[in-house]
Amino acid sequence: MSAATTKTARPRIGAEAIAGKGWLGAHNWLILRRLSQLGILALFLAGPWFGVWIVKGNLSSSLTLDLLPLTDPFLLAQSLAAGTLPYKEALIGAGIVVAFYLAVGGRVFCSWVCPMNLVTDAAAWLRRRLGLKGGKIPSGDTRYWLLGFMLLAAFATGSLAWEWVNPVSMLHRGLIFGFGLAWGIVGGVFLYDLLIATRGWCGHLCPMGAFYSLLGSTALVRVSAAHRSACDDCMDCFAVCPEPQVIRPALKAAGQDHPVILDRNCTNCGRCIDVCGKNVFRITTRFDRSES
C-alpha cells in the first residue's frame, strides 16, 4: 500500500461541529450574516428594481424612509480631503455610522454589510475546495498605505478618487445597470483572492476595510475564546477566519492573559464559533475576560 493511500485524510473543515451541533447549529452565524448582507442589498435594490423606495442611494450615502441619513465616513473623509464641504445631512449620517461601528466594531461592516464579502467568501471557499495553495500575499499593512494614498489622491485631484474603482459601489452599479466595467472589477477581486492571495483583498488591500478597522479599536462587542482549555488544535477556526492572525493571542495566550479577541481587524463574523466542535468561542463584550 502506498504512502499516499495510508496517509490519514484531514476531516473537512467544520465536520466535527456539524456532527455535534447539526448543520444549522454549525452555520448559525454564517446564515445570519448572509441574511444581513442580502437583506441590506435588497433594500437598496428594491427602489431601482421594483419602485419600492424604502432606502434611497447606496452604501456610500443613503436616506432611509426619507428620514434617516447614513453616510460612509470614508467617503466623507475623501470629500474633506478633496476640499469639498459636506452638507449637514452628510455630517449627521457619518456621525451615526461612526457611532454604530465604534460600538460594534468597524470591521462588522465588512462581514455583515459589505456585499463584496459574498464575493471574497466565495473565492476563499472555492480555493479551499480546490486545494489551491501558495500565492503572493501582500503585507497586511498595505491596506493602510492604500488608505493614505487614496486620501492623498483625493487631495491632489479634488475628487473622490477611490469611488472611481471602489468594488462595493461597482457591484451596486452592476446589479442596477447590468454588464459593464463594474463586473470586471468585481470579477478581478474574485480571481485575485482565488488564484493569487487567499483573503488578499479584504485582509490586505481594501482601503475601505482599513478605514473601518480604525473604528474597531474600542468596540464593545467582541469574540472570546472563553472555553480555550477545550481547544484540540484542529485549526478549523484559523482556516475559516478572514483575519486568522487575530485569533492566536486570545486562544493561545500569546501576549495576553485573557481570552478576548481585541484586535481591531476581527470582523466579528462568528465563523470561528460556527466551525468549532468544542464550543471554544462565544460573542461577548470587551469587558468579559472570564473563562469557562
Short mmCIF file of all heavy atoms in Angstrom, two decimals, residues 7-41:
data_model
loop_
_atom_site.label_atom_id
_atom_site.label_comp_id
_atom_site.label_asym_id
_atom_site.label_seq_id
_atom_site.Cartn_x
_atom_site.Cartn_y
_atom_site.Cartn_z
N LYS A 7 -1.91 7.65 4.19
CA LYS A 7 -1.98 8.94 4.86
C LYS A 7 -3.42 9.24 5.28
O LYS A 7 -4.35 9.10 4.49
CB LYS A 7 -1.49 10.05 3.93
CG LYS A 7 -1.46 11.41 4.58
CD LYS A 7 -0.92 12.43 3.61
CE LYS A 7 -0.89 13.81 4.26
NZ LYS A 7 -0.35 14.82 3.31
N THR A 8 -3.61 9.62 6.52
CA THR A 8 -4.96 9.90 7.03
C THR A 8 -5.46 11.23 6.48
O THR A 8 -4.80 12.26 6.59
CB THR A 8 -4.94 9.97 8.56
OG1 THR A 8 -4.46 8.73 9.06
CG2 THR A 8 -6.36 10.22 9.08
N ALA A 9 -6.63 11.20 5.83
CA ALA A 9 -7.19 12.41 5.25
C ALA A 9 -7.67 13.34 6.36
O ALA A 9 -8.26 12.89 7.36
CB ALA A 9 -8.35 12.06 4.34
N ARG A 10 -7.42 14.65 6.20
CA ARG A 10 -7.87 15.62 7.19
C ARG A 10 -9.38 15.78 7.06
O ARG A 10 -9.92 15.94 5.96
CB ARG A 10 -7.19 16.97 6.94
CG ARG A 10 -7.46 17.99 8.04
CD ARG A 10 -6.86 19.34 7.66
NE ARG A 10 -6.94 20.26 8.77
CZ ARG A 10 -8.04 20.91 9.11
NH1 ARG A 10 -9.14 20.69 8.44
NH2 ARG A 10 -8.03 21.75 10.13
N PRO A 11 -10.11 15.72 8.21
CA PRO A 11 -11.56 15.90 8.13
C PRO A 11 -11.90 17.25 7.51
O PRO A 11 -11.15 18.21 7.64
CB PRO A 11 -11.99 15.85 9.60
CG PRO A 11 -10.89 15.15 10.31
CD PRO A 11 -9.63 15.51 9.57
N ARG A 12 -13.04 17.32 6.85
CA ARG A 12 -13.49 18.57 6.26
C ARG A 12 -13.66 19.62 7.35
O ARG A 12 -14.12 19.31 8.46
CB ARG A 12 -14.81 18.33 5.53
CG ARG A 12 -15.32 19.52 4.77
CD ARG A 12 -16.54 19.12 3.97
NE ARG A 12 -17.15 20.27 3.34
CZ ARG A 12 -18.23 20.21 2.56
NH1 ARG A 12 -18.78 19.02 2.34
NH2 ARG A 12 -18.74 21.28 2.02
N ILE A 13 -13.32 20.88 7.01
CA ILE A 13 -13.42 21.96 8.00
C ILE A 13 -14.84 22.07 8.54
O ILE A 13 -15.80 22.13 7.77
CB ILE A 13 -12.99 23.29 7.36
CG1 ILE A 13 -11.51 23.25 6.99
CG2 ILE A 13 -13.28 24.46 8.30
CD1 ILE A 13 -11.05 24.43 6.18
N GLY A 14 -14.95 22.05 9.85
CA GLY A 14 -16.26 22.17 10.49
C GLY A 14 -17.00 20.85 10.62
O GLY A 14 -18.13 20.83 11.13
N ALA A 15 -16.38 19.73 10.21
CA ALA A 15 -17.09 18.44 10.24
C ALA A 15 -17.46 18.05 11.68
O ALA A 15 -18.56 17.55 11.92
CB ALA A 15 -16.22 17.37 9.60
N GLU A 16 -16.55 18.29 12.60
CA GLU A 16 -16.83 17.93 14.00
C GLU A 16 -17.97 18.80 14.56
O GLU A 16 -18.83 18.30 15.30
CB GLU A 16 -15.58 18.10 14.85
CG GLU A 16 -15.79 17.67 16.30
CD GLU A 16 -14.56 17.92 17.17
OE1 GLU A 16 -13.55 18.41 16.64
OE2 GLU A 16 -14.63 17.62 18.37
N ALA A 17 -17.96 20.06 14.17
CA ALA A 17 -19.03 20.94 14.64
C ALA A 17 -20.38 20.51 14.08
O ALA A 17 -21.40 20.52 14.79
CB ALA A 17 -18.73 22.38 14.22
N ILE A 18 -20.41 20.12 12.80
CA ILE A 18 -21.66 19.66 12.19
C ILE A 18 -22.14 18.38 12.86
O ILE A 18 -23.34 18.21 13.14
CB ILE A 18 -21.46 19.44 10.68
CG1 ILE A 18 -21.19 20.77 9.98
CG2 ILE A 18 -22.68 18.76 10.06
CD1 ILE A 18 -20.81 20.64 8.51
N ALA A 19 -21.18 17.49 13.16
CA ALA A 19 -21.55 16.23 13.82
C ALA A 19 -22.12 16.48 15.22
O ALA A 19 -23.05 15.80 15.66
CB ALA A 19 -20.34 15.31 13.90
N GLY A 20 -21.58 17.46 15.90
CA GLY A 20 -22.01 17.72 17.28
C GLY A 20 -23.20 18.64 17.39
O GLY A 20 -24.04 18.47 18.29
N LYS A 21 -23.28 19.66 16.50
CA LYS A 21 -24.32 20.68 16.65
C LYS A 21 -25.38 20.61 15.55
O LYS A 21 -26.38 21.34 15.62
CB LYS A 21 -23.67 22.08 16.61
CG LYS A 21 -22.68 22.32 17.75
CD LYS A 21 -22.17 23.74 17.80
CE LYS A 21 -21.13 24.04 16.77
NZ LYS A 21 -20.46 25.34 16.97
N GLY A 22 -25.14 19.76 14.55
CA GLY A 22 -26.04 19.73 13.40
C GLY A 22 -25.64 20.81 12.41
O GLY A 22 -24.91 21.76 12.74
N TRP A 23 -26.14 20.67 11.16
CA TRP A 23 -25.70 21.60 10.11
C TRP A 23 -26.11 23.04 10.45
O TRP A 23 -25.33 23.96 10.31
CB TRP A 23 -26.31 21.19 8.76
CG TRP A 23 -25.72 21.93 7.62
CD1 TRP A 23 -24.64 21.59 6.87
CD2 TRP A 23 -26.17 23.21 7.11
NE1 TRP A 23 -24.38 22.54 5.93
CE2 TRP A 23 -25.30 23.56 6.05
CE3 TRP A 23 -27.20 24.07 7.44
CZ2 TRP A 23 -25.45 24.73 5.33
CZ3 TRP A 23 -27.34 25.25 6.72
CH2 TRP A 23 -26.48 25.57 5.68
N LEU A 24 -27.36 23.21 10.89
CA LEU A 24 -27.81 24.57 11.20
C LEU A 24 -27.01 25.17 12.36
O LEU A 24 -26.61 26.33 12.32
CB LEU A 24 -29.30 24.56 11.55
CG LEU A 24 -30.28 24.49 10.38
CD1 LEU A 24 -31.71 24.40 10.88
CD2 LEU A 24 -30.12 25.71 9.47
N GLY A 25 -26.78 24.36 13.38
CA GLY A 25 -26.02 24.84 14.52
C GLY A 25 -24.59 25.21 14.17
O GLY A 25 -24.01 26.10 14.80
N ALA A 26 -24.04 24.55 13.17
CA ALA A 26 -22.67 24.84 12.75
C ALA A 26 -22.60 25.92 11.68
O ALA A 26 -21.52 26.19 11.14
CB ALA A 26 -22.02 23.55 12.22
N HIS A 27 -23.75 26.51 11.35
CA HIS A 27 -23.77 27.60 10.36
C HIS A 27 -24.62 28.78 10.82
O HIS A 27 -25.02 29.61 10.01
CB HIS A 27 -24.30 27.08 9.01
CG HIS A 27 -23.40 26.08 8.34
ND1 HIS A 27 -23.39 24.75 8.69
CD2 HIS A 27 -22.47 26.22 7.36
CE1 HIS A 27 -22.50 24.11 7.94
NE2 HIS A 27 -21.93 24.97 7.13
N ASN A 28 -24.90 28.83 12.11
CA ASN A 28 -25.77 29.89 12.63
C ASN A 28 -25.33 31.29 12.21
O ASN A 28 -26.10 32.07 11.65
CB ASN A 28 -25.79 29.83 14.17
CG ASN A 28 -26.92 28.94 14.68
OD1 ASN A 28 -27.89 28.73 13.99
ND2 ASN A 28 -26.76 28.44 15.89
N TRP A 29 -24.09 31.60 12.53
CA TRP A 29 -23.60 32.95 12.29
C TRP A 29 -23.44 33.24 10.81
O TRP A 29 -23.65 34.37 10.35
CB TRP A 29 -22.28 33.18 13.04
CG TRP A 29 -22.49 33.22 14.51
CD1 TRP A 29 -22.31 32.20 15.41
CD2 TRP A 29 -23.00 34.32 15.29
NE1 TRP A 29 -22.66 32.59 16.68
CE2 TRP A 29 -23.07 33.89 16.64
CE3 TRP A 29 -23.39 35.61 14.98
CZ2 TRP A 29 -23.53 34.72 17.66
CZ3 TRP A 29 -23.84 36.46 16.00
CH2 TRP A 29 -23.90 36.01 17.32
N LEU A 30 -23.05 32.22 10.05
CA LEU A 30 -22.93 32.40 8.61
C LEU A 30 -24.29 32.71 7.99
O LEU A 30 -24.42 33.62 7.16
CB LEU A 30 -22.34 31.14 7.96
CG LEU A 30 -22.17 31.21 6.43
CD1 LEU A 30 -21.23 32.34 6.04
CD2 LEU A 30 -21.65 29.87 5.89
N ILE A 31 -25.33 31.98 8.41
CA ILE A 31 -26.68 32.23 7.88
C ILE A 31 -27.16 33.63 8.25
O ILE A 31 -27.72 34.36 7.42
CB ILE A 31 -27.65 31.16 8.41
CG1 ILE A 31 -27.29 29.79 7.82
CG2 ILE A 31 -29.09 31.53 8.07
CD1 ILE A 31 -28.04 28.63 8.45
N LEU A 32 -26.93 34.02 9.48
CA LEU A 32 -27.34 35.36 9.92
C LEU A 32 -26.63 36.45 9.11
O LEU A 32 -27.23 37.46 8.73
CB LEU A 32 -27.06 35.53 11.41
CG LEU A 32 -27.97 34.74 12.36
CD1 LEU A 32 -27.48 34.86 13.80
CD2 LEU A 32 -29.42 35.24 12.26
N ARG A 33 -25.35 36.22 8.85
CA ARG A 33 -24.60 37.22 8.07
C ARG A 33 -25.12 37.30 6.64
O ARG A 33 -25.26 38.40 6.08
CB ARG A 33 -23.11 36.88 8.05
CG ARG A 33 -22.39 37.24 9.33
CD ARG A 33 -20.89 37.31 9.14
NE ARG A 33 -20.31 36.09 8.63
CZ ARG A 33 -19.68 35.99 7.47
NH1 ARG A 33 -19.56 37.05 6.68
NH2 ARG A 33 -19.14 34.84 7.10
N ARG A 34 -25.42 36.16 6.06
CA ARG A 34 -25.92 36.19 4.68
C ARG A 34 -27.29 36.88 4.63
O ARG A 34 -27.58 37.64 3.70
CB ARG A 34 -26.04 34.76 4.14
CG ARG A 34 -24.69 34.08 3.96
CD ARG A 34 -23.87 34.74 2.86
NE ARG A 34 -22.60 34.06 2.68
CZ ARG A 34 -21.43 34.55 3.08
NH1 ARG A 34 -21.38 35.75 3.65
NH2 ARG A 34 -20.31 33.89 2.90
N LEU A 35 -28.13 36.62 5.62
CA LEU A 35 -29.43 37.30 5.67
C LEU A 35 -29.24 38.81 5.81
O LEU A 35 -29.96 39.60 5.18
CB LEU A 35 -30.26 36.76 6.84
CG LEU A 35 -30.78 35.33 6.69
CD1 LEU A 35 -31.48 34.89 7.99
CD2 LEU A 35 -31.76 35.23 5.52
N SER A 36 -28.27 39.22 6.63
CA SER A 36 -27.98 40.63 6.81
C SER A 36 -27.48 41.25 5.51
O SER A 36 -27.99 42.29 5.05
CB SER A 36 -26.94 40.81 7.92
OG SER A 36 -26.50 42.16 7.99
N GLN A 37 -26.49 40.62 4.88
CA GLN A 37 -25.91 41.17 3.65
C GLN A 37 -26.94 41.25 2.53
O GLN A 37 -27.08 42.29 1.87
CB GLN A 37 -24.73 40.29 3.20
CG GLN A 37 -23.55 40.33 4.14
CD GLN A 37 -22.60 39.15 3.90
OE1 GLN A 37 -22.98 38.11 3.35
NE2 GLN A 37 -21.35 39.32 4.32
N LEU A 38 -27.68 40.16 2.33
CA LEU A 38 -28.65 40.13 1.24
C LEU A 38 -29.86 41.01 1.54
O LEU A 38 -30.43 41.62 0.62
CB LEU A 38 -29.09 38.68 0.98
CG LEU A 38 -27.99 37.75 0.47
CD1 LEU A 38 -28.49 36.31 0.39
CD2 LEU A 38 -27.48 38.20 -0.90
N GLY A 39 -30.24 41.09 2.82
CA GLY A 39 -31.36 41.95 3.18
C GLY A 39 -31.04 43.41 2.94
O GLY A 39 -31.88 44.16 2.40
N ILE A 40 -29.85 43.85 3.34
CA ILE A 40 -29.45 45.24 3.12
C ILE A 40 -29.35 45.53 1.62
O ILE A 40 -29.82 46.57 1.13
CB ILE A 40 -28.12 45.53 3.83
CG1 ILE A 40 -28.33 45.49 5.34
CG2 ILE A 40 -27.55 46.87 3.39
CD1 ILE A 40 -27.04 45.52 6.15
N LEU A 41 -28.78 44.59 0.88
CA LEU A 41 -28.67 44.76 -0.57
C LEU A 41 -30.06 44.85 -1.20
O LEU A 41 -30.30 45.67 -2.10
CB LEU A 41 -27.89 43.57 -1.16
CG LEU A 41 -27.39 43.70 -2.60
CD1 LEU A 41 -26.49 44.92 -2.77
CD2 LEU A 41 -26.67 42.43 -3.03
#
